[in-house]
Amino acid sequence: MTYRRAVIPALLGGVLLTALLWWAGESLQALRLQGATDAIGGRAAAELERWLIPWSYEPPAGAWAGVDVPGGPAGGDGARYLALHGTALRIRFAAVFAFFLPGALLLIRGLPPVHGRMPATLLAVWTWGIVAGTLAVTVSAPWLIASYGHGSYRFLPQLASAIAAGRQILVVTALAAAAVAVLAARITAKGAGPLPRESVPARAARSAATAGTAVIALSLVVLSYQPVAAAIQTASPGSGPLAEPGDLLRQWLLLGAWSDPGGSDTGAWLLYRAADALLLVVVWWALRSLPGLLTRATVPAMAAGAVCATVLGLLAGQLLRAAATDGTGAHGGLPQLFAALGDGVPAALTCGLLAGIAAAVTLRAACRGSGPATGPRAP
C-alpha cells in the first residue's frame, strides 16, 4: 500500500483522536452540574472528572496553592500562569496529532486492512493511539508543571505523575479514531493492486517471537520483582531538579510489580500472575503472527508492531485483573473497571521497541540460516 493511499486514513484518525480528546476536556463542566451527578452518581462523576482534567483547558482546583498570585487567576501573575497552562494544552493536542500520524501511517501501509488483516490493523492503530496520547502528555508536561508555579520543586516526580494522567480517556477515544481510520484505509486500499503477505518460515517466526517476548519478560519478571523495583525506585544520582528519578524510571522501565506470595492469599496471588502470563502470551502470539501479516517485515514495522502488541497485552491483563481479582466490574461499575487501564504504557513503549528490534534481528538471522522460505508460512 502506497503512502499516498495510507496518508488519508492516518490523517482522519489523527484529526478525530485530537478532536475527541478536546471534546472530552471541554465536557468537564458538564460533569459538575447537578443533573450529571444525579444521573451517574457522585462517585462516578468525580472519577470521570479526574480522568478529564488532563485534557481540559480549565486548571484543577488549587493549582496555584502556595504561589504568590496577585489578583488571583484572573489577573496579575495569575493571568500569566493561566496563559502558560493554555499553552501546555495546545502543545498537548498538537503533539497527539503529530505522534499519531507517522505511527498510524507506518502501520496502515505495512498492515493494510485487507485479506484478513482488518482485526490486526484495528488493534494496532488503536494501541498506537494510546501510545501517541501518552507521548503527547509527556512532551507537554514540563509546560503544565511550570504553569503551577513550582516547576523547580521535585521536578522528576512531578513529571512522572503528569505522564500517568489522562490515560483512561485515551483508551476509549483511540478506539473510536482507530475504527474510523481503518474503515477509511479499507476503502482507499481498493484498487491498490495485490497486497501480499511476506512469506516467512514458521520456525523463524517462532524464534523471533521468543526473542522479543524474552525482552518483555525481562521487564515483567526481573525488573518488576519487588527488591529490584525498590532499588530502581530509590536510585538518585544527585540533587537539584533532576534528583529523585525513581518514579520516572519505574514509569519507563517496569511493566508490572510482584513479590513472593508470603502469607497472603495464594489464590489471589496466582490470579495476579495470570494477568502477567496473559501479557506474555499476547506478545508472543502477536510477534509470531506479525511477520506473516506485514507486507514487508522491516525493523520499523516490527518495532511499531511490538509496541502495539505490548500495549494490547497490558490492556488484556489489566482487564483480567480488574474483573477476576478486584471484582470492580461487578461492584464498582465501569469507572472502577477502567481505573487501571493504561498503566504501564511508557514502559510498553520502551520494552516494545527493544522487543521489536530483537524480533526483527532474530527473524532476519533465522531466515538467512534457513535459506529460501520453502516451509510453511507464519500466519
Side-chain angles (χ1 to χ4, degrees):
M1 191 174 185
T2 63
Y3 281 113
R4 182 175 59 85
R5 291 179 180 272
V7 72
I8 296 175
L11 282 170
L12 283 176
V15 170
L16 181 60
L17 177 59
T18 306
L20 286 174
L21 289 171
W22 177 85
W23 171 78
E26 291 299 300
S27 302
L28 181 62
Q29 286 289 349
L31 286 174
R32 295 172 178 170
L33 298 176
Q34 187 62 40
T37 304
D38 294 340
I40 64 177
R43 183 179 176 183
E47 187 74 7
L48 289 173
E49 180 179 339
R50 184 174 65 85
W51 297 355
L52 293 176
I53 282 175
W55 303 100
S56 173
Y57 277 89
E58 179 183 350
W64 289 287
V67 179
D68 183 17
V69 185
D77 289 345
R80 288 192 287 270
Y81 281 122
L82 190 59
L84 186 57
H85 184 275
T87 299
L89 267 294
R90 286 191 290 273
I91 293 172
R92 179 163 296 184
F93 287 120
V96 168
F97 180 82
F99 282 119
F100 180 85
L101 181 61
L105 184 61
L106 177 65
L107 290 168
I108 292 172
R109 183 175 183 269
L111 196 64
V114 292
H115 305 307
R117 295 186 182 100
M118 190 164 183
T121 310
L122 177 62
L123 292 174
V125 178
W126 172 37
T127 48
W128 180 256
I130 300 173
V131 173
T134 302
L135 289 173
V137 170
T138 301
V139 300
S140 60
W143 282 268
L144 200 66
I145 294 170
S147 73
Y148 297 155
H150 43 76
S152 62
Y153 174 69
R154 302 186 75 235
F155 175 73
L156 293 184
Q158 289 187 79
L159 182 61
S161 177
I163 292 172
R167 60 187 186 275
Q168 298 88 352
I169 296 300
L170 277 171
V171 175
V172 179
T173 54
L175 180 58
V180 171
V182 171
L183 287 174
R186 189 172 181 87
I187 295 172
T188 59
K190 291 181 179 179
L195 297 171
R197 301 182 182 186
E198 182 166 340
S199 183
V200 178
R203 179 176 295 180
R206 288 194 295 268
S207 298
T210 302
T213 306
V215 176
I216 303 300
L218 176 66
S219 170
L220 189 64
V221 178
V222 179
L223 297 182
S224 297
Y225 184 48
Q226 191 172 25
V228 181
I232 296 173
Q233 178 73 48
T234 56
S236 185
S239 59
L242 298 182
E244 302 180 74
D247 291 337
L248 194 62
L249 289 174
R250 286 175 64 96
Q251 284 266 350
W252 291 91
L253 294 177
L254 274 60
L255 286 166
W258 69 280
S259 61
D260 299 326
S264 61
D265 184 5
T266 305
W269 185 87
L270 289 174
L271 280 174
Y272 273 96
R273 303 291 72 77
D276 296 336
L278 179 60
L279 166 59
L280 295 177
V281 169
V282 169
V283 170
W284 189 90
W285 172 81
L287 290 179
R288 183 187 181 277
S289 304
L290 194 60
L293 291 172
L294 291 168
T295 55
R296 188 182 175 196
T298 62
V299 173
M302 288 291 293
V307 170
C308 295
T310 309
V311 175
L312 182 63
L314 275 175
L315 294 176
Q318 288 160 2
L319 283 174
L320 174 64
R321 183 175 294 139
T325 305
D326 299 334
T328 52
H331 305 292
L334 285 178
Q336 281 67 43
L337 178 63
F338 282 95
L341 279 185
D343 281 344
V345 173
L349 176 60
T350 303
C351 300
L353 286 173
L354 295 175
I357 294 171
V361 171
T362 304
L363 181 67
R364 289 189 177 183
C367 288
R368 281 198 301 266
S370 62
T374 57
R377 187 186 65 189

